[in-house]
Amino acid sequence: METAYKVAGIDVHKWMLAVVITDAAAEGEFRFERRKFGTLASDLQKLAEWLAAEQVREAVMESTAPYWKPVWRQWEGECRLELAQAQSNRARRGRKGDFRDAERLVRRHVAGELILSFVADQEQRLWRTLTRSKQQLRRDRVRWQSQLEALLEIAGSNWRAGSAICWGLAVGGCSRGWRKGRPIRRFWRR
């Protein structure tokens, strides 16, 4: 008795997903079942339910932008997921179509012709996001401080003292640097 091994191909766009399913274990030409889904959370839930009902074991998707991420999060852990690099699934000129792209994606994946991208597991992706956010906040702080100093310099005030006061207050300088109780007005008169 031959067991089915269903594979889904998902062509991901900003507002639409073109999804095809085929049985990779079947003899002869692939027969595809096609459906189109939106990218809202409710649409992704319907996609997940349909893939589960069809008993899909493996899904391969292609996207040139980060639009694949919600689909990946929705289906992660349910089956084996692969992310194909878009250039490895390119069609000849004039042969572009959403469902045709998804079908080509499945055919090339089954044949082992796709170049797959590495997608880290969920915990590693979370740590990457936290690290990148922390670095971005540091860059933003330096940028804001430079903009404040430029503004104070244009205003013609004693920009070093004003910047130190304003920046010190902005990042909690009241509790650290102003223990002597000197009035702030004194620095602006210099």
Side-chain angles (χ1 to χ4, degrees):
M1 181 178 169
E2 186 176 307
T3 60
Y5 188 83
K6 295 205 175 175
V7 179
I10 306 171
D11 191 26
V12 183
H13 298 278
K14 187 173 186 176
W15 304 112
M16 186 268 301
L17 305 172
V19 184
V20 298
I21 295 178
T22 190
D23 185 3
E27 294 283 329
E29 190 70 27
F30 289 130
R31 293 181 187 212
F32 292 100
E33 185 177 342
R34 303 173 168 194
R35 286 216 186 152
K36 194 180 278 194
F37 292 91
T39 56
L40 298 175
S42 59
D43 297 326
L44 294 178
Q45 183 62 39
K46 289 177 189 173
L47 168 65
E49 291 169 2
W50 182 58
L51 294 176
E54 292 292 325
Q55 298 177 345
V56 172
R57 295 187 191 179
E58 193 169 350
V60 60
M61 64 184 82
E62 171 204 42
S63 182
T64 55
Y67 305 132
W68 60 271
K69 291 179 181 180
V71 180
W72 189 280
R73 279 193 301 268
Q74 180 73 33
W75 197 238
E76 190 172 32
E78 300 296 323
C79 72
R80 184 173 165 217
L81 293 172
E82 300 288 353
L83 182 66
Q85 294 183 10
Q87 63 193 109
S88 68
N89 192 39
R90 290 182 70 177
R92 291 192 322 240
R93 191 172 239 178
R95 303 284 181 167
K96 192 94 170 99
D98 298 328
F99 286 114
R100 279 187 280 177
D101 287 350
E103 290 173 6
R104 188 179 328 99
L105 199 60
V106 170
R107 283 190 190 100
R108 289 184 176 168
H109 179 63
V110 170
E113 298 172 351
L114 287 177
I115 299 171
L116 302 175
S117 298
F118 170 74
V119 179
D121 64 354
Q122 190 173 9
E123 183 179 0
Q124 187 176 2
R125 289 194 314 265
L126 176 64
W127 280 111
R128 284 180 180 177
T129 302
L130 288 173
T131 303
R132 290 175 181 156
S133 298
K134 184 177 176 182
Q135 290 173 346
Q136 183 63 41
L137 287 173
R138 283 189 189 141
R139 285 192 295 269
D140 287 347
R141 179 176 178 246
V142 170
R143 182 176 49 86
W144 292 334
Q145 185 174 7
S146 299
Q147 288 175 349
L148 177 63
E149 288 175 358
L151 177 67
L152 291 172
E153 189 172 326
I154 290 170
S157 65
N158 185 350
W159 66 272
R160 284 195 176 99
S163 173
I165 292 168
C166 292
W167 191 248
L169 293 175
V171 294
C174 289
S175 61
R176 288 193 311 252
W178 301 104
R179 293 189 187 140
K180 296 179 184 175
R182 291 183 280 183
I184 293 175
R185 278 182 261 131
R186 182 172 148 201
F187 288 98
W188 288 96
R189 291 185 185 156
R190 288 186 185 170

